[in-house]
């Protein structure tokens, strides 16, 4: 049986229907809210064309995603380096 929910949302004056697992509904609705908020930001800056606004929102999202991925890589590297240091200390003969 398909447990997916039918979720109706409006983005940039258009209605969309998505099929979503119940545990993903909150993420979907949060994403829609974030998109609407970014649309409002660009409209407040004077951008009027919907296609331009949506392109800018897509760019905003990808830049944020790339920043997050970069931060995650940096944190992983720091963790790896610290674990390596601990391993070296634990493996040293004086330990």
């Amino acid at each position: 049986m398909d447990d997916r929910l039918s979720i109706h949302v409006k983005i940039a004056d258009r209605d969309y229907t998505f099929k979503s697992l119940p545990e993903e509904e909150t993420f979907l609705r949060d994403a829609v809210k974030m998109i609407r908020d970014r649309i409002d930001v660009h409209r407040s800056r004077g951008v009027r064309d919907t296609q331009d606004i949506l392109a800018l929102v897509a760019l905003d999202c990808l830049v944020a995603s790339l920043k997050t991925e970069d931060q995650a890589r940096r944190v992983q590297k720091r963790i790896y380096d610290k674990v390596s240091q601990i391993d070296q200390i634990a493996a040293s003969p004086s330990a």
Side-chain angles (χ1 to χ4, degrees):
M1 185 185 327
D2 189 11
D3 293 338
R4 293 181 181 264
L5 303 171
S6 183
I7 301 185
H8 305 279
V9 298
K10 187 174 239 181
I11 300 171
D13 302 324
R14 289 201 182 177
D15 295 315
Y16 296 93
T17 300
F18 296 95
K19 294 287 186 176
S20 172
L21 294 172
E23 61 270 18
E24 294 176 350
E25 178 184 9
T26 301
F27 295 111
L28 179 64
R29 292 197 185 277
D30 288 348
V32 169
K33 183 180 180 332
M34 290 173 73
I35 290 169
R36 286 180 182 164
D37 290 347
R38 295 305 305 162
I39 287 170
D40 290 344
V41 166
H42 290 294
R43 281 192 176 141
S44 73
R45 291 180 179 163
V47 182
R48 293 289 166 237
D49 182 73
T50 301
Q51 187 170 344
D52 289 344
I53 291 171
L54 292 175
L56 292 169
V57 169
L59 184 62
D60 291 344
C61 292
L62 286 174
V63 166
S65 177
L66 291 171
K67 284 181 180 179
T68 300
E69 288 175 12
D70 183 60
Q71 289 172 343
R73 275 193 297 275
R74 289 178 190 208
V75 168
Q76 286 175 340
K77 182 173 180 350
R78 286 188 5 221
I79 291 169
Y80 176 80
D81 291 346
K82 292 295 180 186
V83 169
S84 293
Q85 288 175 352
I86 292 169
D87 286 344
Q88 288 175 355
I89 292 169
S92 69
S94 62

